[in-house]
Amino acid sequence: MAVKSVIEAVREAMFEEMKRDPNVFIMGEDVGKRGGVFLATRGLIEEFGEERVIDTPLAESSIAGIALGAAMQGRRPIAEIQFADFIWPAVNQIIGEAARVRYGTKGVLHVPMVVRCPYGGGVRGGLFHSQSPEAYFAHTPGLKVVCPSTPYDAKGLLKAAIRDEDPVVFFEHKRTYRLVRGEVPDEEYVLPIGVADIKRAGSDITCISYGLMVHYCLEAAEMLAKEGVNVEVLDLRTVRPLDKEAILESVRKTSRVLIVHEDNRTGGLGAEVAAIIAEEAFGHLDAPITRVTGPDVPAMPFSPPLEDFFMPNPEKIAAGLRRVASY
Amino acid sequence: MAVKSVIEAVREAMFEEMKRDPNVFIMGEDVGKRGGVFLATRGLIEEFGEERVIDTPLAESSIAGIALGAAMQGRRPIAEIQFADFIWPAVNQIIGEAARVRYGTKGVLHVPMVVRCPYGGGVRGGLFHSQSPEAYFAHTPGLKVVCPSTPYDAKGLLKAAIRDEDPVVFFEHKRTYRLVRGEVPDEEYVLPIGVADIKRAGSDITCISYGLMVHYCLEAAEMLAKEGVNVEVLDLRTVRPLDKEAILESVRKTSRVLIVHEDNRTGGLGAEVAAIIAEEAFGHLDAPITRVTGPDVPAMPFSPPLEDFFMPNPEKIAAGLRRVASY
Amino acid sequence: MVRSRNTAATQTRKAAEHAVAEVLTPDVLLGWYSTMVLVRTLDERAWLLNRQGKAAILASSQGHEATQMGAVWAAVRYSPSLAIFPFYRGLATAIATGITPTEALLSILAKAGDPASGGRQFPLHGAVMTPKLKVINISNVVATQIPHAVGYALGCRMSGDPTVTMTTFGDGATSEGDWHEGMNYAGIYKLPVVFICENNGVAISVPQRKQMAIVNVADRAAGYGMPGVVVDGTDVMAVYEVVGEAVRRAVRGEGPTFIEAKVVRLLPHTSDDDDRRYRTPEELEDMKRRDPLKKFKEHLMEQGILTAQLDEQAHKEAKEHVDRATEAAEAAPFPDTGDFYDHVYASE
Amino acid sequence: MVRSRNTAATQTRKAAEHAVAEVLTPDVLLGWYSTMVLVRTLDERAWLLNRQGKAAILASSQGHEATQMGAVWAAVRYSPSLAIFPFYRGLATAIATGITPTEALLSILAKAGDPASGGRQFPLHGAVMTPKLKVINISNVVATQIPHAVGYALGCRMSGDPTVTMTTFGDGATSEGDWHEGMNYAGIYKLPVVFICENNGVAISVPQRKQMAIVNVADRAAGYGMPGVVVDGTDVMAVYEVVGEAVRRAVRGEGPTFIEAKVVRLLPHTSDDDDRRYRTPEELEDMKRRDPLKKFKEHLMEQGILTAQLDEQAHKEAKEHVDRATEAAEAAPFPDTGDFYDHVYASE
Ligand SMILES: Cc1ncc(C[n+]2csc(CCOP(=O)(O)OP(=O)(O)O)c2C)c(N)n1
Ligand SMILES: Cc1ncc(C[n+]2csc(CCOP(=O)(O)OP(=O)(O)O)c2C)c(N)n1
Ligand SMILES: [Mg+2]
Ligand SMILES: [Mg+2]
């Protein structure tokens, strides 16, 4: 095992899958010589050539739409959207089209394509380089949506996404790219899409999250441990399909729930998680299902004090946990 | 008072507002001589001329983006997206841009624009003429999202939307256009955006819905009444902002909740409504918060038996109500 | 046939005309004529079924047949294999690709036997795949198929598959961002794509002058580094020629071609539309003079290839064929809901 | 200055040259030069502040100054009032519109006094509105401003407001669907918009040949029914001339113009970028020869308008100005969070 960063894990996953399967190719803005603006594709054009690492024109709808066409032809495109904030022009091709191909052709065609998408804030990115649009995609049947939090998960899940027969939107939290490091096995492994992971076992409260926030939840859990509250941190890893069983099992055990995400509160992932619990674990609940989330403003502002105010952090999460614990 | 259809109410609202305010204008595909594919704008080009009733090229992103630009200049555009299924290309301009203008300019600019959008199924429209994308927009701070169910509400709320200083996405359920008729006052009136409406008072279960489904909920409530269960039907009318107080007040009274929508279940409007209740009326609940919704398939199929299978209907809703009642 | 100022295509024109003359024997032309009669008969029947409440919706290809059929026939003739991404107005396209009238009607009536989507989608939407010919139309969202076609062609190039990709769309579609993005990409990478714009001068009710500031949308092709050709789309032989030329260009690895076929839409936009709101009776009369079937008939009669008797026979056979197809399709079952949840994702 | 084949603009060229000569007295040119020096000094300072960790991100306008400033100056000169929708690389645009160096640095340092968004947005994003000059850049999503500008111009026409609208963007932006849709609409309705493409031959790292199959993107303008003009964007006087011409065309109600200004990007894409990954030292050296500031200086010296002494003075004053601005901006407070929730919706 070696300790790696999330961005290294992402790069390795693509490298290995491109080695393994000649149908896999990459397309996106600046993925070639530049190696991507976050260097996720660094070295890949040198290894695999311009035919398999394609610098596209600046046109997201066609990046997704051309990937879709190529996927129907049998290729396995990895389409990079440079920042999640720029995925909106591609939504027609991803949500409108790709998600419906298998269903609308009754299985005659399918779309084994991955849309990789750096997302999230806390990087001084302002309104248009900080967005967390995962909930929009997670609402879409036909898509799978992955939001890993660690290098280990990122690598194993990205490999799974590339091998998946259906369109996967793969959200990589920009702030984790270099900040989060962790052990990654030397040998090959693939993680199943749709399976949550208990990142910290506990008995008093279930704290459910994904992406960067998982790390903040873990920090908050340590704070609460000192106060005698034993928090279980459940990392969803995949936000569509949700691992309902893992969610319900943990809640049945703890009877108390805090859901944490960076995205705006209203209609975020937390809403669906809460609804599932309120419908299917109602009898087990001892406290209101509580959410700590980004506030309902249109996006994360640029200036440091404003950005800090927006972002959930370990202190805000700890406060939420205390509220749930003391109900 | 006269009895009118939803489409008549919509047309009248636009007519009256265009008479009232020379800044109001309409743009969209076929809104001119054709009068819109549903005839919502019939007669308007004859009354107001080509300058104020603009047939645009077939290009939704620019329909929204040009409307946005004109709104920043002081006009009050009503942009028609011909079917909700075709709103995806415009999402970058609506969700990505319009929703953030006021926040991102710190109030210097704002976007008094309405995006009108026929949505919903049950019209033999198949995958691409039946979609209900309201949840995507309702997740977006900066937007308001309205889904009226009756001619009275449609007219009063559309007039409010046109007068609103912020971008409003106004979803009109296609199936209600000619099916649903109701009294509309002869004198001028405007209804407030963000206020729900009790369409049927009751004491045993709160049934929360919007759009076409409100009518099916009312039918189901009548069935349950015969079984001795007194259902309150709460019509959200506006899905962003949600009328939280109205929701909580009804739930505090009944202690039981069924949420109904036509959109896919996972991440639909019902999720947020359930989450609010589970967080803020937890102590009042006597039963799991239950949802009756469209199934999690990518869209409504075309063939009659498949479409019927997709659509929630009074029977399915009644079954849901019975489940909640008997918990 | 008018050409836009782009001349790359012109160079091979002579060769094309020669080839056309060689291929298009009287028998072939008579076969074409019968098929066009069949499509028209089928289209009229489908419209009737809609008026009887049996077909929910229909976009007629009346007036577009010469372009749709000429294009497919040329593409099949001149490419080793073909992938087509048509738009919704493609009944003639479908028949030219080998869909039978019964299959078309199963699709139009949303029956289980619909070969494109099993009744899940609008008529003829979905996918019909054979080894040599793939017809893919995954949505009725205008212009989304342009990037699909380009991506498909990219995939073919990557995998050494010599398939030529063709996509058809209306004049309205050229206003969409996806059209621009797809054209641009195909131009940069010289992909083997033939873009066919069936320009009927109207997008539902919006006339061309409100859609673009130019007369020939083919003039835009140069801005994407590809030839733009204007052709009389009501003339099946002219279409056959220019599409054949474009397909051979694609096969030779010389890249994409944009073809603007000027056609007429003889009926309302769809069976839901009433075009009297926006077209005058005079306009409609005027268009009927450009009816591609009428035009082809007159041409074949002038040439002595078609006789009144052969014509009558073609119509009679077409009617019988469509009658049988109607009967079969009407008797066929609707899809059942047992597999309603299938094909959302790959089954494990 | 090269022109694409479109000739509508050419007709008024003579008149324009005449006007330019009249307006551009030595004093005016010296004033321009000082301002260009000031912008360059400010740009270098901002880059330094980024390297010191004080400015989070920066897109330099070095190499684009002649186009950005020439365009604004011409537009202000020839239009009764102006609305500009610039892109993110617009420091020189901003200064030309009257933003002070202090204001620019407040914005770059994300301070409360940022005149465009109060620190909510990336530097110089947001809106700065005066009665005669409106600068609107609501996002850094490439090409979204094209429809905004077109819509703004439509609004102006509707309300009888004689404002001319101008929008600036890079070569990369022309690949986006929004660019196509916006151009098309402006062409159809002959709206008073001046489209300025600052073509530096690269979108971050993607070279023009991977963005489009043509040499001059201005060649696309004809497809939208508008003139397309190519100009050396490192020559401030040439830019002034063609933009002046386009603005007067707009004022006369003759519709939009597309101007492609060939420029150089002297620095990496932004302060986050390292262009050594994709540009050779030779390429960079080559570009420096096209530095618009150097070019203008040489021209003015040749003409005897600028002397070494005046040049030194301009640099000295610029440095002092930027020093004072830096001091003020660094001392200024960050926004506080008291109004964090304001301006999501209109307050009641
Ligand atoms: C993105 C999108 N917007 C709107 C529609 C509704 N619509 C269907 S066909 C059509 C007109 C298309 O015109 P054109 O491309 O010229 O084809 P034609 O029908 O004339 O053959 C419109 C507006 C759609 N299907 N997709
Ligand atoms: C829609 C969108 N996609 C991607 C980006 C990321 N991005 C910012 S600038 C840029 C390149 C723009 O190139 P060009 O338009 O030529 O302008 P330049 O920076 O060269 O001046 C990219 C890809 C973005 N801001 N918006
Ligand atoms: Mg048309
Ligand atoms: Mg550039």
Side-chain angles (χ1 to χ4, degrees):
Chain A
M1 294 257 235
V3 170
K4 298 206 164 123
S5 65
V6 169
I7 195 81
E8 284 163 348
V10 164
R11 191 187 306 130
E12 276 188 17
M14 289 192 280
F15 184 92
E16 290 177 17
E17 292 303 304
M18 289 182 80
K19 278 277 178 208
R20 179 178 172 271
D21 182 349
N23 295 322
V24 178
F25 75 97
I26 292 174
M27 60 187 292
E29 297 155 10
D30 306 290
V31 295
K33 270 198 206 168
R34 179 68 181 83
V37 296
F38 296 101
L39 302 181
T41 55
R42 188 173 65 192
L44 297 184
I45 194 166
E46 288 79 7
E47 181 70 25
F48 299 104
E50 283 194 338
E51 287 69 35
R52 291 181 68 198
V53 183
I54 303 174
D55 271 328
T56 62
L58 208 175
E60 286 76 12
S61 185
S62 63
I63 292 175
I66 290 168
L68 200 176
M72 291 194 295
Q73 194 274 339
R75 301 313 98 207
R76 293 189 167 270
I78 307 172
E80 177 176 304
I81 298 292
Q82 198 161 77
F83 284 78
D85 314 64
F86 311 140
I87 203 169
W88 302 116
V91 153
N92 187 37
Q93 287 289 355
I94 301 170
I95 290 182
E97 303 278 310
R100 298 176 223 264
V101 169
R102 188 187 283 278
Y103 198 73
T105 64
K106 223 178 160 182
V108 170
L109 290 172
H110 65 282
V111 182
M113 107 190 195
V114 179
V115 179
R116 282 188 48 243
C117 198
Y119 82 113
V123 296
R124 307 292 182 231
L127 265 69
F128 295 94
H129 291 82
S130 305
Q131 294 171 24
S132 292
E134 65 277 8
Y136 297 92
F137 297 88
H139 179 45
T140 309
L143 297 182
K144 299 183 180 179
V145 185
V146 180
C147 301
S149 66
T150 66
Y152 176 79
D153 290 351
K155 183 171 179 187
L157 286 164
L158 182 51
K159 286 171 71 93
I162 295 167
R163 295 183 196 185
D164 202 280
E165 298 298 335
D166 289 300
V168 180
V169 187
F170 196 87
F171 284 107
E172 301 159 10
H173 199 293
K174 297 192 288 286
R175 183 120 172 80
T176 67
Y177 270 157
R178 289 180 170 76
L179 184 74
V180 177
R181 302 176 61 80
E183 302 244 301
V184 176
D186 297 324
E187 59 279 8
E188 149 128 281
Y189 69 100
V190 176
L191 295 173
I193 290 177
V195 179
D197 185 44
I198 296 176
K199 286 284 188 304
R200 182 188 197 281
S203 51
D204 298 333
I205 306 180
T206 298
C207 181
I208 302 174
S209 193
Y210 56 91
L212 172 69
M213 287 299 136
V214 168
H215 303 283
Y216 293 177
C217 291
L218 289 169
E219 284 186 48
E222 289 311 314
M223 297 183 199
L224 270 281
K226 297 201 186 93
E227 300 166 24
V229 181
N230 194 354
V231 177
E232 174 147 312
V233 177
L234 184 70
D235 181 357
L236 293 171
R237 300 201 293 197
T238 302
V239 298
R240 183 175 195 109
L242 283 170
D243 188 347
K244 216 160 94 168
E245 263 327 297
I247 294 168
L248 295 175
E249 195 180 313
S250 179
V251 172
R252 284 190 216 108
K253 181 170 71 176
T254 64
S255 302
R256 288 167 197 270
V257 190
L258 183 78
I259 308 167
V260 179
H261 55 68
E262 181 182 322
D263 186 17
N264 313 119
R265 162 172 309 226
T266 299
L269 246 299
E272 180 60 32
V273 174
I276 289 172
I277 297 168
E279 186 153 6
E280 304 192 34
F282 177 72
H284 295 274
L285 285 174
D286 285 343
I289 303 169
T290 303
R291 292 179 281 175
V292 169
T293 69
D296 276 341
V297 300
M300 203 175 299
F302 180 56
S303 192
L306 303 178
E307 181 181 87
D308 294 345
F309 191 84
F310 185 106
M311 285 289 280
N313 59 29
E315 290 69 34
K316 294 179 194 175
I317 298 167
L321 288 168
R322 286 187 202 105
R323 239 173 19 251
V324 174
S326 64
Y327 181 84
Chain B
M1 295 256 235
V3 170
K4 300 207 163 121
S5 66
V6 170
I7 195 81
E8 285 163 347
V10 164
R11 192 186 307 128
E12 276 188 17
M14 289 191 281
F15 184 92
E16 290 176 15
E17 292 303 305
M18 289 181 80
K19 277 276 179 210
R20 177 178 173 270
D21 182 351
N23 295 321
V24 178
F25 75 97
I26 292 174
M27 59 186 293
E29 296 156 10
D30 307 290
V31 296
K33 270 198 204 169
R34 178 70 182 80
V37 295
F38 295 100
L39 302 182
T41 55
R42 187 174 65 192
L44 297 184
I45 195 168
E46 289 78 7
E47 180 72 26
F48 299 104
E50 283 195 338
E51 287 69 35
R52 291 180 68 196
V53 184
I54 304 175
D55 271 329
T56 63
L58 209 174
E60 287 77 9
S61 186
S62 63
I63 291 175
I66 290 169
L68 201 178
M72 292 195 293
Q73 194 272 341
R75 301 312 97 210
R76 293 189 168 270
I78 306 173
E80 177 175 304
I81 299 293
Q82 199 161 78
F83 283 79
D85 313 63
F86 311 140
I87 203 169
W88 303 116
V91 152
N92 187 37
Q93 287 289 355
I94 300 171
I95 290 181
E97 303 277 311
R100 297 175 223 265
V101 169
R102 187 186 285 279
Y103 199 72
T105 64
K106 226 181 156 178
V108 170
L109 290 172
H110 65 282
V111 181
M113 107 190 195
V114 178
V115 179
R116 281 188 49 245
C117 196
Y119 83 114
V123 296
R124 307 292 183 231
L127 265 68
F128 295 95
H129 292 82
S130 305
Q131 295 171 24
S132 293
E134 64 278 7
Y136 297 92
F137 296 89
H139 179 43
T140 309
L143 298 182
K144 299 181 180 180
V145 184
V146 180
C147 302
S149 65
T150 65
Y152 175 79
D153 290 351
K155 182 170 179 189
L157 285 164
L158 182 50
K159 287 169 69 93
I162 294 167
R163 296 184 196 185
D164 202 280
E165 297 299 333
D166 289 300
V168 179
V169 187
F170 197 88
F171 284 106
E172 301 158 11
H173 199 293
K174 297 192 286 288
R175 182 117 172 83
T176 66
Y177 270 158
R178 289 182 171 75
L179 185 74
V180 178
R181 301 176 61 82
E183 302 245 299
V184 175
D186 297 324
E187 59 281 7
E188 148 129 278
Y189 69 100
V190 178
L191 294 173
I193 290 178
V195 178
D197 184 45
I198 296 176
K199 285 284 188 305
R200 183 188 196 281
S203 51
D204 298 334
I205 304 181
T206 299
C207 182
I208 303 174
S209 194
Y210 56 91
L212 173 68
M213 287 300 135
V214 168
H215 303 283
Y216 293 177
C217 290
L218 288 168
E219 285 187 46
E222 290 310 315
M223 298 182 197
L224 270 282
K226 298 200 186 93
E227 301 165 25
V229 180
N230 194 355
V231 177
E232 173 146 313
V233 176
L234 184 68
D235 180 357
L236 292 172
R237 300 201 293 195
T238 301
V239 298
R240 181 171 196 114
L242 283 169
D243 188 347
K244 217 160 92 169
E245 264 326 298
I247 295 168
L248 295 174
E249 193 180 313
S250 178
V251 172
R252 282 188 218 110
K253 181 171 70 179
T254 64
S255 303
R256 287 166 197 272
V257 189
L258 184 79
I259 307 166
V260 179
H261 54 68
E262 181 181 322
D263 187 17
N264 313 120
R265 163 172 308 227
T266 298
L269 246 301
E272 180 60 32
V273 174
I276 288 172
I277 297 168
E279 186 154 5
E280 305 192 32
F282 177 72
H284 294 274
L285 285 173
D286 285 344
I289 304 168
T290 303
R291 291 180 280 174
V292 169
T293 69
D296 276 341
V297 300
M300 203 174 298
F302 179 57
S303 194
L306 303 178
E307 181 181 89
D308 294 346
F309 190 84
F310 184 106
M311 285 290 281
N313 59 28
E315 290 68 34
K316 294 178 193 175
I317 297 167
L321 287 169
R322 287 186 201 103
R323 244 180 6 258
V324 173
S326 65
Y327 181 84
Chain C
M1 147 190 27
V2 185
R3 276 167 201 285
S4 81
R5 84 175 80 81
N6 216 294
T7 50
T10 318
Q11 295 161 6
T12 51
R13 188 175 175 188
K14 282 267 155 55
E17 270 165 7
H18 183 67
V20 163
E22 220 168 66
V23 172
L24 301 186
T25 61
D27 272 4
V28 168
L29 294 177
L30 274 182
W32 282 11
Y33 181 71
S34 309
T35 312
M36 276 177 78
V37 169
L38 176 63
V39 168
R40 179 63 62 91
T41 309
L42 181 63
D43 194 298
E44 287 166 351
R45 178 65 52 85
W47 203 263
L48 193 70
L49 289 166
N50 167 270
R51 293 310 186 228
Q52 294 172 344
K54 291 171 182 166
I57 178 117
L58 213 83
S60 160
S61 63
Q62 291 185 41
H64 290 234
E65 295 106 325
T67 292
Q68 296 186 3
M69 309 193 84
V72 173
W73 288 329
V76 166
R77 168 72 178 79
Y78 291 110
S79 68
S81 76
L82 183 65
I84 308 189
F85 291 75
F87 72 138
Y88 49 81
R89 196 176 294 294
L91 183 61
T93 305
I95 299 299
T97 64
I99 301 276
T100 67
T102 304
E103 288 174 325
L105 286 171
L106 286 167
S107 187
I108 287 164
L109 297 178
K111 296 298 179 81
D114 161 25
S117 79
R120 284 184 172 185
Q121 288 238 45
F122 260 31
L124 301 169
H125 288 64
V128 181
M129 312 285 281
T130 67
K132 284 275 195 191
L133 186 49
K134 296 170 171 65
V135 186
I136 302 176
N137 178 11
I138 62 171
S139 92
N140 22 35
V141 184
V142 166
T144 53
Q145 78 273 26
I146 315 283
H148 303 167
V150 173
Y152 198 90
L154 175 67
C156 289
R157 169 171 301 169
M158 282 181 165
S159 55
D161 173 344
T163 294
V164 170
T165 303
M166 190 161 94
T167 177
T168 66
F169 46 87
D171 44 305
T174 66
S175 302
E176 284 281 4
D178 268 11
W179 177 83
H180 168 67
E181 297 186 11
M183 290 282 290
N184 191 35
Y185 197 95
I188 296 167
Y189 288 99
K190 292 199 170 303
L191 291 170
V193 185
V194 180
F195 297 92
I196 297 184
C197 178
E198 302 181 14
N199 184 356
N200 58 17
V202 75
I204 306 188
S205 71
V206 182
Q208 182 170 336
R209 71 187 158 76
K210 290 189 177 190
Q211 295 184 56
M212 59 185 88
I214 55 176
V215 172
N216 294 325
V217 69
D219 286 351
R220 288 191 185 152
Y224 304 104
M226 69 176 87
V229 182
V230 179
V231 65
D232 177 354
T234 65
D235 177 346
V236 65
M237 294 171 73
V239 171
Y240 187 84
E241 188 204 316
V242 297
V243 174
E245 209 169 290
V247 170
R248 281 174 293 173
R249 205 178 112 78
V251 169
R252 290 194 302 267
E254 291 167 18
T257 303
F258 181 88
I259 293 168
E260 177 180 7
K262 307 275 195 187
V263 299
V264 285
R265 195 194 78 198
L266 293 173
L267 292 196
H269 174 64
T270 65
S271 53
D272 278 355
D273 183 32
D274 177 1
D275 58 350
R276 288 169 305 182
R277 295 193 62 77
Y278 56 85
R279 299 205 283 197
T280 62
E282 293 74 44
E283 285 176 277
L284 290 167
E285 272 319 301
D286 217 50
M287 271 184 302
K288 279 195 192 130
R289 276 192 283 276
R290 296 186 56 211
D291 181 337
L293 190 59
K294 183 166 156 279
K295 186 167 203 156
F296 195 34
K297 176 175 163 178
E298 285 165 7
H299 173 78
L300 292 179
M301 287 200 154
E302 267 169 35
Q303 302 286 310
I305 297 174
L306 183 70
T307 61
Q309 195 197 342
L310 284 173
D311 184 34
E312 198 177 309
Q313 189 186 330
H315 279 86
K316 185 165 161 285
E317 282 173 12
K319 186 178 175 304
E320 284 166 11
H321 195 156
V322 171
D323 281 345
R324 282 196 309 277
T326 308
E327 212 170 302
E330 289 207 60
F334 278 112
D336 78 53
T337 56
D339 55 8
F340 181 87
Y341 287 99
D342 290 358
H343 308 300
V344 177
Y345 299 101
S347 51
E348 269 77 65
Chain D
M1 146 189 29
V2 185
R3 275 165 202 286
S4 80
R5 83 175 80 83
N6 216 295
T7 50
T10 318
Q11 294 160 6
T12 50
R13 186 177 175 188
K14 281 268 157 53
E17 269 165 8
H18 184 65
V20 164
E22 222 168 64
V23 172
L24 301 186
T25 61
D27 271 4
V28 167
L29 295 177
L30 274 182
W32 282 11
Y33 181 70
S34 308
T35 312
M36 277 177 76
V37 170
L38 176 63
V39 167
R40 180 63 62 90
T41 309
L42 180 63
D43 194 298
E44 288 166 349
R45 177 65 52 83
W47 203 262
L48 192 71
L49 288 166
N50 169 270
R51 292 312 186 225
Q52 292 172 345
K54 292 172 181 163
I57 178 113
L58 212 83
S60 160
S61 62
Q62 292 186 40
H64 289 234
E65 295 106 323
T67 293
Q68 295 187 2
M69 308 191 85
V72 172
W73 289 330
V76 166
R77 168 74 177 74
Y78 291 110
S79 68
S81 75
L82 183 65
I84 308 187
F85 292 73
F87 72 137
Y88 49 81
R89 198 176 292 296
L91 183 61
T93 305
I95 300 298
T97 63
I99 301 275
T100 68
T102 304
E103 287 173 327
L105 286 171
L106 286 167
S107 186
I108 288 165
L109 297 178
K111 295 300 180 79
D114 161 25
S117 80
R120 283 184 174 186
Q121 288 238 46
F122 261 30
L124 302 169
H125 288 65
V128 180
M129 312 285 280
T130 65
K132 282 275 196 191
L133 186 48
K134 296 172 172 60
V135 186
I136 303 177
N137 177 10
I138 64 171
S139 93
N140 22 36
V141 184
V142 166
T144 52
Q145 79 273 25
I146 315 284
H148 303 167
V150 173
Y152 199 91
L154 175 66
C156 288
R157 169 172 298 170
M158 283 181 162
S159 54
D161 174 343
T163 293
V164 169
T165 302
M166 190 161 96
T167 176
T168 66
F169 47 87
D171 44 306
T174 65
S175 301
E176 284 281 4
D178 268 11
W179 177 83
H180 168 67
E181 297 187 12
M183 289 282 290
N184 192 34
Y185 197 95
I188 296 166
Y189 288 99
K190 291 201 170 303
L191 291 170
V193 184
V194 180
F195 297 92
I196 297 184
C197 177
E198 303 181 13
N199 184 355
N200 57 19
V202 76
I204 305 190
S205 71
V206 183
Q208 181 171 337
R209 73 187 156 76
K210 291 190 175 188
Q211 295 184 56
M212 60 185 87
I214 55 175
V215 172
N216 295 325
V217 69
D219 286 351
R220 288 192 184 149
Y224 303 105
M226 67 176 88
V229 183
V230 179
V231 64
D232 177 354
T234 65
D235 177 345
V236 63
M237 293 170 75
V239 171
Y240 188 84
E241 188 204 315
V242 297
V243 174
E245 211 168 288
V247 169
R248 280 172 294 172
R249 205 177 112 78
V251 169
R252 289 194 303 268
E254 291 166 19
T257 304
F258 181 87
I259 293 168
E260 176 181 8
K262 306 276 196 187
V263 299
V264 285
R265 196 194 78 199
L266 294 173
L267 294 195
H269 174 63
T270 65
S271 52
D272 278 355
D273 184 31
D274 176 0
D275 58 351
R276 288 167 305 181
R277 295 192 62 78
Y278 56 85
R279 300 207 282 197
T280 62
E282 294 73 46
E283 285 176 276
L284 289 168
E285 272 319 301
D286 218 50
M287 270 184 303
K288 281 196 191 129
R289 276 194 282 278
R290 295 184 58 211
D291 180 337
L293 189 59
K294 184 166 155 279
K295 187 167 202 158
F296 196 35
K297 175 176 161 177
E298 285 166 6
H299 173 79
L300 293 179
M301 286 199 154
E302 266 169 35
Q303 301 285 312
I305 296 173
L306 183 68
T307 62
Q309 195 197 342
L310 283 174
D311 184 33
E312 198 177 311
Q313 190 186 331
H315 278 88
K316 185 163 160 288
E317 281 172 12
K319 184 175 175 309
E320 284 166 9
H321 195 158
V322 172
D323 281 346
R324 279 195 310 275
T326 308
E327 210 169 304
E330 289 208 59
F334 278 113
D336 78 54
T337 56
D339 56 8
F340 181 88
Y341 286 100
D342 290 357
H343 307 300
V344 177
Y345 298 101
S347 49
E348 267 79 64

